[in-house]
Amino acid sequence: MSSEADVVKSSGPLASLRSGAPRTRANALKYEMATPKTWLVNTGRFAVFLVVLLLWEVGARTGLINAFFWSQPSDIAQTWWIGVQTGSVWQDTIYTFRSTVLGFLLGTAGGTLLGLSFWWSKYYARIFEPFIIMFEAMPKLALAPIIVLVFGIGIGSKIAMGFAITVVITTLTTYNGVRSVDRDLVRMVYSLGASRRQVFGKVIVPTAIPAMISALRINIGLALTGAIVGEYIGSEQGLGRMIFYAGQTYEISLIWANIFNLSILSMLLYLLVGKLEKVLLKGFTHK
C-alpha cells in the first residue's frame, strides 16, 4: 500500500509543484519584496496626466465635449498664467494656506486637550460625549453663515470653520486612544505609588499620542474644506472666493485654474503633514 501511495504522490498533479518548491518559494519571496522604482511610478503618473489632458483638449476642439461647460486645458493654462503674472494666484493661495494651517493647528490642539480631559472624570466624559457626537454629525455647512456673521468676512471666520470641523475629530480620536490604555498597566503604576497626575503624564498621554497623530492627515483635509466653505459664504480673498466668483460669472477656465491651484495646495499640505506624522510617530515609538 505504501508503494502505491508513493507512486500516486510522485505522479500526481502536485508532484511538479513539489519538485519546483524551492523555486516557487523564491519567486513568492521576490514578489513580496519587489517594489516599483520611484522614477517608474512618477513616469506612469505623469503619462496618465498627459493622456487625460490630451483627450480633454482633443474632445473640446472636436466638439465631443462641450467646451463652454468644461473649457479646455489650453485656455485653462492661459488663464492660470495670467493669474501668476498679476499675482492673484499667490495672494489667494497664501490666504487659503494661512487659514487652513491656523484652523488645523487650533482644532488639533483644542481637540487633543478636550479628549485628554475626558480621562480625568468618567462622569464629565459621559455627560459631554453625546454632545460631541451630535456636533460631529451636524453638517458644518449649516453653521457657516452664522460663523461668518460672528467673525466677519476676514480670515477669522475661515479659521473658525477649520477649527469647528477638526476639533471634534481630534477629540473623539484622542478619547479613543485614552480608552485603549491597558487598565492593568494603570493599576500597576498606581500600586507602585504613582499619583494621578503621574499616571496621566507617564502612561495615558504617551499611549494616546499615536492615536492623536494618526488623525493629522484627516484633519488637514478637513481644515482645508472648512477654509474653502468659509470663503464660499463670504470672503475678501482665497481660492474658494475665486471659484465662487468665477462660477457666478461663468468663467469656466478661471474655475478650473483655481481648482488646479487648490489641488496643488492640498497635495502640498498632505505631504507636509505626512512628513510630520512620520517624524512624530518615530519619536514616540522608538525611544
Side-chain angles (χ1 to χ4, degrees), residues 6-287:
D6 292 339
V7 171
V8 172
K9 290 181 180 180
S10 61
S11 61
L14 297 178
S16 59
L17 292 179
R18 290 195 181 90
S19 62
R23 186 177 63 182
T24 303
R25 286 194 295 269
N27 290 337
L29 182 61
K30 183 178 179 181
Y31 173 78
E32 292 295 333
M33 298 181 63
T35 54
K37 295 181 179 180
T38 304
W39 70 270
L40 282 175
V41 173
N42 292 333
T43 301
R45 292 170 178 172
F46 186 67
V48 170
F49 180 69
L50 287 181
V51 169
V52 171
L53 291 182
L54 180 61
L55 293 176
W56 187 355
E57 183 74 23
V58 172
R61 290 181 180 272
T62 58
L64 292 177
I65 61 175
N66 193 327
F68 176 78
F69 292 108
W70 293 96
S71 187
Q72 56 194 65
S74 57
D75 291 343
I76 295 170
Q78 184 179 5
T79 303
W80 180 82
W81 182 244
I82 292 174
V84 171
Q85 290 179 320
T86 58
S88 62
V89 167
W90 309 114
Q91 294 174 0
D92 291 328
T93 302
I94 291 173
Y95 185 88
T96 303
F97 175 81
R98 285 193 320 174
S99 58
T100 299
V101 171
L102 290 174
F104 166 76
L105 293 176
L106 292 176
T108 301
T112 299
L113 294 175
L114 187 59
L116 289 174
S117 69
F118 286 163
W119 178 80
W120 289 91
S121 172
K122 292 183 179 180
Y123 178 72
Y124 158 73
R126 295 189 66 177
I127 288 176
F128 283 96
E129 185 178 5
F131 295 102
I132 296 293
I133 296 175
M134 181 177 64
F135 186 71
E136 168 59 18
M138 181 188 303
K140 304 306 181 294
L141 183 61
L143 297 175
I146 299 175
I147 290 177
V148 171
L149 287 174
V150 172
F151 292 94
I153 62 173
I155 195 173
S157 58
K158 288 66 184 177
I159 297 173
M161 278 298 301
F163 173 84
I165 294 178
T166 57
V167 67
V168 182
I169 292 293
T170 308
T171 299
L172 295 176
T173 303
T174 303
Y175 186 42
N176 287 333
V178 168
R179 290 192 297 183
S180 67
V181 177
D182 189 355
R183 295 184 178 181
D184 292 333
L185 176 61
V186 174
R187 294 192 188 98
M188 183 187 71
V189 176
Y190 272 129
S191 67
L192 295 176
S195 65
R196 188 169 177 81
R197 181 174 298 178
Q198 289 174 326
V199 171
F200 178 76
K202 300 294 184 181
V203 179
I204 302 301
V205 174
T207 305
I209 279 177
M212 293 184 284
I213 294 174
S214 65
L216 293 180
R217 295 195 192 190
I218 300 174
N219 280 353
I220 194 64
L222 294 175
L224 180 58
T225 301
I228 296 299
V229 169
E231 292 171 2
Y232 261 76
I233 301 300
S235 180
E236 300 170 338
Q237 289 181 311
L239 297 176
R241 181 192 70 88
M242 285 303 300
I243 293 173
F244 181 77
Y245 165 78
Q248 294 294 311
T249 57
Y250 297 97
E251 297 182 53
I252 309 301
S253 296
L254 185 59
I255 294 176
W256 283 108
N258 282 280
I259 289 176
F260 174 75
N261 295 329
L262 186 59
S263 301
I264 297 298
L265 176 60
S266 61
M267 185 181 298
L268 176 63
L269 290 170
Y270 184 83
L271 292 175
L272 289 175
V273 172
K275 292 291 185 182
L276 176 63
E277 179 181 316
K278 289 181 180 179
V279 171
L280 293 176
L281 283 175
K282 184 178 180 180
F284 283 104
T285 57
H286 296 85
K287 291 186 177 180

